[in-house]
């Protein structure tokens, strides 16, 4: 068995540093490349081109949007799907306005580093003042740079709510009770729309569950994948 992990907006493989050794019993881990393309479909095609023939797919936040495209394009290759802190809703008016605001800018004009305040907002209130964690997350964005920031910021994210029933593989949806970026209601919509999907809500974590709740999230994935094999 193999796992393919898809990170969120302006995050790289470092997102999974705590979880990778915990997930190792499931098999080799592959990190999806969401950094070179400017549409969800192209990102999904790249993930499929680089992935093993069959795999368990884990998509976090923006990576969850790409994960649904992967399943849509090659359902026979996805053994099981885990959607973490993500949504089936399309772009909000404010997200569309942000896209328009940076359209036409150069990478240097558009990107001067991720805002520490915005990063802190994605954490549990008890960890919002953890400067080491905030700077770790900011460092991922700095490594990716302005060109990736523009590509990911300009992505359109159409609503997928009417197509959730097309996902037929075993699916686990995970939300954080204190997530200020993606609500529990959005995860409930995913779990309701995907046939047979399971929903789990993690207490005591903000949006960055792969770091803030690494042990619990890894355990959920291990248990879920183990049950799909029986």
């Amino acid at each position: 068995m193999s796992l393919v992990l898809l990170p969120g907006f302006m995050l790289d493989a470092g997102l999974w540093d705590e979880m990778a050794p915990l997930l190792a019993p499931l098999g080799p881990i592959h990190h999806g490349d969401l950094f070179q393309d400017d549409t969800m479909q192209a990102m999904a095609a790249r993930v499929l081109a680089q992935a093993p023939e069959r795999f368990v797919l884990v998509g976090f936040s923006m990576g969850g949007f790409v994960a649904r495209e992967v399943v849509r394009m090659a359902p026979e290759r996805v053994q099981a799907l885990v959607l973490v802190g993500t949504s089936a809703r399309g772009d909000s008016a404010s997200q569309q306005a942000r896209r328009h605001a940076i359209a036409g800018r150069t990478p240097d004009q558009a990107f001067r580093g991720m805002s520490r305040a915005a990063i802190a907002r994605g954490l549990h209130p008890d960890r919002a003042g953890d400067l080491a964690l905030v700077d770790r997350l900011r460092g991922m964005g700095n490594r990716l740079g302005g060109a990736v920031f523009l590509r990911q910021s300009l992505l359109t994210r159409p609503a997928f709510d009417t197509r959730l029933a097309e996902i037929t593989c075993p699916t686990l949806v995970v939300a954080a009770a204190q997530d200020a970026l993606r609500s529990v209601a959005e995860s409930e919509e995913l779990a309701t729309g995907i046939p047979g999907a399971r929903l789990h809500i993690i207490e005591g974590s903000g949006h960055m569950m792969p770091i803030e709740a690494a042990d619990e999230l890894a355990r959920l994935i291990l248990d879920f994948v183990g049950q799909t094999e029986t």
Side-chain angles (χ1 to χ4, degrees):
M1 182 187 304
S2 297
L3 278 81
V4 174
L5 307 181
L6 305 183
F9 177 75
M10 292 302 284
L11 298 167
D12 61 19
L15 173 71
W16 310 100
D17 282 353
E18 285 84 357
M19 290 187 62
L22 302 173
L23 296 175
L26 294 179
I29 291 175
H30 304 263
H31 295 283
D33 181 350
L34 308 186
F35 315 122
Q36 301 186 59
D37 302 293
D38 56 10
T39 68
M40 294 289 178
Q41 294 79 11
M43 286 179 174
R46 187 179 298 274
V47 169
L48 284 165
Q50 297 175 349
E53 187 59 31
R54 287 269 290 168
F55 52 90
V56 173
L57 182 59
V58 181
F60 169 71
S61 197
M62 184 193 80
F65 286 76
V66 181
R68 292 198 307 271
E69 279 299 312
V70 170
V71 175
R72 184 187 66 80
M73 293 169 67
E76 74 286 352
R77 293 181 58 185
V78 181
Q79 180 176 336
L81 174 65
V82 182
L83 297 172
V84 182
T86 189
S87 178
R89 298 179 186 178
D91 289 326
S92 66
S94 62
Q95 288 167 328
Q96 294 174 26
R98 282 197 295 270
R99 276 209 313 274
H100 291 311
I102 65 170
R105 295 187 184 183
T106 67
D108 288 343
Q109 291 170 336
F111 183 72
R112 292 180 175 84
M114 300 298 292
S115 160
R116 287 185 173 89
I119 292 170
R121 184 170 174 265
L123 300 171
H124 187 279
D126 291 345
R127 300 199 70 177
D130 185 338
L131 297 182
L133 176 54
V134 169
D135 283 345
R136 172 184 167 186
L137 294 166
R138 193 168 191 263
M140 295 187 207
N142 289 341
R143 287 196 295 271
L144 294 173
V148 174
F149 176 80
L150 271 180
R151 280 194 286 269
Q152 293 190 350
S153 296
L154 293 173
L155 282 173
T156 57
R157 306 184 191 194
F160 200 85
D161 54 327
T162 61
R163 305 187 63 184
L164 289 172
E166 298 174 18
I167 300 175
T168 57
C169 63
T171 301
L172 171 67
V173 179
V174 185
Q178 291 79 33
D179 189 340
L181 303 184
R182 288 295 178 187
S183 67
V184 170
E186 289 172 274
S187 289
E188 291 172 340
E189 291 163 5
L190 284 167
T192 299
I194 299 171
R198 309 176 195 180
L199 173 66
H200 187 91
I201 301 170
I202 294 178
E203 292 288 343
S205 177
H207 187 62
M208 293 294 167
M209 286 174 274
I211 295 175
E212 296 183 75
D215 289 353
E216 184 171 356
L217 182 55
R219 178 183 57 78
L220 288 169
I221 294 172
L222 288 168
D223 290 349
F224 169 67
V225 174
Q227 291 167 17
T228 65
E229 292 184 301
T230 59

